[in-house]
Amino acid sequence: MSMRNIAIIAHVDHGKTTLVDKLLQQSGAFRENQRVAERVMDSNDLEKERGITILAKATSVVWKDTRINIVDTPGHADFGGEVERILNMVDSAIVLVDAAEGPMPQTKFVVSKALKLGLRPIVAINKVDKPDARVTEVINEVFDLFAALDATDEQLDFPILYGSGKQGWMAPSPEGPQDQGLAPMYDLILKHVPEPRIEEGPFRMIGTLLEANPYLGRIITGRVVSGTAKPNQNIKVLSGDGSTVETGRITKILAFRGLERTPIEEAIPGDIVSIAGLVKGSVADTFCDPSVDTPIKAQPIDPPTVSMTFMVNDSPLAGTEGDKVTTRVIRDRLFKEAEGNVALKIEEASDKDSYIVSGRGELQLAILIETMRREGFELGVSRPRVVLKRDESGQLLEPIEEVVIDVDEEHSGVVVQKMSERKADMLEMKPSGGNRLRLVFHAPTRGLIGYQGELLTDTRGTAIMNRLFHDYLPYKGEIGGRRNGVLIAMETGEAVAYALWNLEDRGPMMIEPGWKVYQGMIVGEHTRENDLEVNVLKGKKLTNIRTTSKDEAVRLTPPIRMTLERSLAWIDDDELVEVTPKSIRLRKGILDPNERKRSQKQKAEVA
């Protein structure tokens, strides 16, 4: 059976996973009476809740006696490490573009990686049925993007399909025909995508995806470059520098067949398979026959730009909500995550009780924290900090991002003002249809931490911001942080409605009556610049004197709901987010008020 390997790459919410659903359905991968969930490739809970693809995943369909291996990739640049690895496994890519939004920054990120590898893409204009679709302009934008990314003449001569993934059709023209479903896409894949490149020699495969299975142990997925492999065959694992990581035996070979992974008796060259039986081999290692001495060269991964400190939760409420609370357990979990996620970097801090975790962006780190809290972990997490570098001459460099903001014209002034306060340089301002403008900036990552919420407030929820790492450039100087101080609980106990009601003029609260608080915990935002210690446990003094006027019922203003991402962006450098399976609390790094004042004095003296 001949074979094709293809990836689907697109921006967040441009319809990748929905299109894969329809490709599977129309190829006969499901039984007629089979119940199938929507966005079937978004397999974990976080992907389903947020509607974004976080992990790259493979599937396969058979069309006209040809097996087509399809890899669904994340659209968000924070998960770019997933994308960079899987592009090694495929020979072409379908670039899916929204007919209204056009190519966005994340599309640019993945397409640039694909073009550098020499892949010849197919462009699919999705959602042509939208009322604000602008098909011709979007095709011109895609061509301009390819040209800007130094595409070759062959790559610029890309075939184009139009359609709607949701309605399940693609055609050579925006008008249709729609009755053929996705058959034109399958036929174009067979015609345009080359057969897998097969090299001579014994079995070799580079590890691309890593996962743990409770029955089979460690499972590594990759594409077989040369030779064949069978269960019980002896193989060895080579690291990037050519040293042997381990030798072992393949216990099982699994291939993607529709949504299932089925055991097979032989892995053939060009196929994407998973192998089990090894305990140390990881992503970017070469799995090969014992006679092989030279590893396959892995693609270089872009460096992490944002770091956070993960530490043991040492608050008075530690251990009351989670069951994984010790340093050793947290350490093991973080290093296990770094094995499979090449975009993450874990370092042990000098105090041995905390770990510096570096990644591509706040979203990637927030997803890791959310996953850990659902597994029962309790953590203290610091504010995200950017990873700074120095060039050869000793000049300080910081990560700069390309930021694209789509906003209504009436709100564009405040967006430009706020971005300039964050030391951003505006590159472009152009209309994007429907009284909306597209603003393009180069902005330091430091200034963008925490800006998403402020942007939505300023634009009444109408702005859409997309970010992409651009380059390391000279440090842009100080950027102003949060202007307001915080309200800090001065005692430990349960918050009382009467006390919260009396404190409302001091600033908005973040807690509700009955919530447990402790000394040093942040309970609200102060209306002024300084921090203020408050007593949220103070109830009303009751007397036996009767009065004719009835007591006023206490009516509280609803508190600010602090989500994980919002908390990470909102806290200051001397504050932490306490994350448990049931709660997200904000607190000062030093809980004792006297110690806190002493520490601030020392910092002021040093400065």
Side-chain angles (χ1 to χ4, degrees), residues 12-316:
V12 177
D13 206 29
H14 278 200
K16 276 188 314 298
T17 312
T18 305
L19 178 65
V20 175
D21 280 3
K22 298 297 180 187
L23 284 168
L24 286 165
Q25 281 173 15
Q26 294 187 24
S27 68
F30 305 141
R31 295 190 316 273
E32 280 186 27
N33 63 345
Q34 187 173 345
R35 278 188 67 187
V36 182
E38 191 184 348
R39 300 198 319 275
V40 72
M41 293 292 280
D42 282 349
S43 52
N44 71 27
D45 291 342
L46 276 172
E47 289 182 319
K48 283 189 163 64
E49 285 169 28
R50 291 166 183 251
I52 59 172
T53 303
I54 295 168
L55 304 169
K57 290 172 284 292
T59 183
S60 84
V61 298
V62 174
W63 184 260
K64 294 182 180 174
D65 295 327
T66 301
R67 178 165 301 288
I68 303 172
N69 288 315
I70 303 168
V71 184
D72 185 18
T73 66
H76 202 289
D78 277 22
F79 309 110
E82 293 279 329
V83 178
E84 287 167 275
R85 293 175 312 183
I86 65 94
L87 289 175
N88 292 320
M89 298 201 293
V90 298
D91 303 295
S92 183
I94 296 173
V95 180
L96 199 66
V97 183
D98 189 297
E101 292 184 6
M104 299 292 271
Q106 269 85 329
T107 320
K108 178 179 173 181
F109 167 77
V110 189
V111 169
S112 69
K113 299 286 179 189
L115 294 177
K116 275 179 193 164
L117 286 171
L119 304 184
R120 288 180 58 208
I122 296 168
V123 173
I125 308 296
N126 194 23
K127 306 186 185 182
V128 295
D129 53 327
K130 283 172 84 167
D132 55 346
R134 43 187 195 94
V135 177
T136 310
E137 294 97 312
V138 166
I139 289 168
N140 291 335
E141 285 173 17
V142 173
F143 187 87
D144 292 345
L145 171 66
F146 280 31
L149 295 172
D150 299 327
T152 63
D153 291 346
E154 269 192 332
Q155 290 170 331
L156 285 170
D157 188 20
F158 50 80
I160 306 168
L161 289 171
Y162 309 85
S164 165
K166 196 172 184 182
Q167 293 174 8
W169 66 274
M170 282 281 164
S173 149
E175 289 76 42
Q178 300 184 16
D179 56 353
Q180 293 181 15
L182 293 170
M185 178 172 268
Y186 285 120
D187 293 337
L188 183 59
I189 290 171
L190 299 192
K191 180 181 159 192
H192 182 77
V193 179
E195 291 225 9
R197 298 181 303 278
I198 295 168
E199 297 177 15
E200 294 294 319
F203 170 69
R204 285 184 303 149
M205 177 185 105
I206 191 162
T208 308
L209 303 172
L210 170 72
E211 62 189 288
N213 184 290
Y215 305 106
L216 299 174
R218 205 182 182 92
I219 295 179
I220 286 278
T221 302
R223 182 169 86 164
V224 181
V225 174
S226 63
T228 59
K230 295 180 179 177
N232 294 321
Q233 180 176 326
N234 286 326
I235 61 166
K236 71 176 177 182
V237 182
L238 298 174
S239 65
D241 58 7
S243 59
T244 303
V245 177
E246 66 169 326
T247 54
R249 194 168 51 84
I250 298 173
T251 54
K252 208 158 209 171
I253 301 176
L254 303 165
F256 296 91
R257 301 291 180 256
L259 287 182
E260 304 297 321
R261 266 202 296 210
T262 53
I264 55 172
E265 289 306 309
E266 185 179 42
I268 59 172
D271 201 1
I272 295 173
V273 297
S274 303
I275 60 174
L278 295 142
V279 291
K280 289 182 185 170
S282 188
V283 169
D285 290 342
T286 302
F287 295 75
C288 55
D289 189 86
S291 62
V292 176
D293 297 321
T294 313
I296 305 169
K297 193 167 182 283
Q299 283 298 312
I301 300 291
D302 283 351
T305 56
V306 175
S307 69
M308 288 161 77
T309 304
F310 287 42
M311 59 195 79
V312 173
N313 181 18
D314 60 356
S315 85

